[in-house]
């Protein structure tokens, strides 16, 4: 499929999501022009704040391909990814992001993520959500175990 067809599919999924009670977001992951996985925003449907179209589609693609590394794949999403989804896209190693609506379009209908981008730039103690380091000396053991593990699968 051509990239325009893949984007039209993501847009169609976003419209279908609205009709089904979800948010106006859809996504498609493709490899070599073939759809690997697709999904839509299910935050309200699944009562899951992480069920954004991109994250849901990444989960499906990884399961379909049996890997956590989606190198060689591209994502087509009906809207510019939010900070969470952008992070997931990077962690999944997707090669390229195509999006239709942008952050300003999303903000105009009540999906404004700028406050998260602003918070990320701040030091943890300056953020609006209180954060506190707790039991670091105990938790560091798992990091040391990982560092010393010889048969680990790095990602």
């Amino acid at each position: 499929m051509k990239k325009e067809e893949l984007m039209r599919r993501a847009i169609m999924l976003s419209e279908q999501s609205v009709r089904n009670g979800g948010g106006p977001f859809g996504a498609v992951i493709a490899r070599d022009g073939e759809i690997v996985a697709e999904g839509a925003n299910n935050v309200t449907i699944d009562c899951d704040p992480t069920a954004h179209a991109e994250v849901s589609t990444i989960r499906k693609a990884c399961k379909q391909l049996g890997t956590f590394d989606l190198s060689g794949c591209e994502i087509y999403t009906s809207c510019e990814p939010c900070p969470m989804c952008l992070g997931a896209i990077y962690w999944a190693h997707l090669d390229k992001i195509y999006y239709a609506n942008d952050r300003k379009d999303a903000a105009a209908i009540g999906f404004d993520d700028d406050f998260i981008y602003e918070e990320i730039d701040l030091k943890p103690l300056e953020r609006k959500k209180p954060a506190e380091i707790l039991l670091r000396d105990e938790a560091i053991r798992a990091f040391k175990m990982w560092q010393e593990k010889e048969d680990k699968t790095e990602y």
Side-chain angles (χ1 to χ4, degrees):
M1 296 176 85
K2 292 181 181 179
K3 59 185 177 182
E4 291 82 7
E5 292 174 285
L6 293 164
M7 182 57 78
R8 284 189 185 102
R9 180 71 184 161
I11 293 167
M12 187 277 302
L13 290 164
S14 72
E15 293 171 352
Q16 187 177 49
S17 181
V18 172
R19 284 192 290 276
N20 293 337
F25 306 98
V28 171
I29 291 177
R31 183 169 58 188
D32 299 323
E34 298 295 320
I35 294 175
V36 173
E38 59 184 36
N41 181 286
N42 287 324
V43 170
T44 56
I45 294 167
D46 294 344
C47 296
D48 179 354
T50 68
H52 289 202
E54 297 91 338
V55 170
S56 298
T57 304
I58 287 168
R59 289 174 180 157
K60 289 177 185 176
C62 288
K63 192 169 195 170
Q64 174 69 24
L65 297 176
T67 182
F68 54 81
D69 185 343
L70 297 178
S71 296
C73 296
E74 300 172 328
I75 190 163
Y76 297 79
T77 181
S78 64
C79 187
E80 182 177 357
C82 74
M84 176 184 69
C85 293
L86 186 60
I89 289 165
Y90 274 91
W91 283 117
H93 304 287
L94 287 155
D95 290 357
K96 189 166 184 178
I97 304 165
Y98 295 94
Y99 61 88
N101 296 314
D102 66 18
R103 290 164 49 174
K104 292 178 182 156
D105 297 322
I109 62 163
F111 293 94
D112 192 350
D113 299 324
D114 277 343
F115 74 98
I116 298 173
Y117 287 104
E118 291 167 6
E119 288 283 297
I120 288 170
D121 281 340
L122 299 174
K123 294 177 185 172
L125 292 176
E126 296 173 354
R127 295 179 183 154
K128 290 181 180 132
K129 289 279 183 205
E132 178 181 335
I133 295 175
L134 187 63
L135 299 178
R136 181 183 178 274
D137 291 341
E138 293 178 30
I140 203 75
R141 287 192 305 256
F143 280 16
K144 288 178 181 175
M145 289 171 61
W146 172 260
Q147 190 174 26
E148 295 167 4
K149 188 173 174 64
E150 293 186 18
D151 63 341
K152 63 188 166 208
T153 302
E154 300 211 24
Y155 56 97

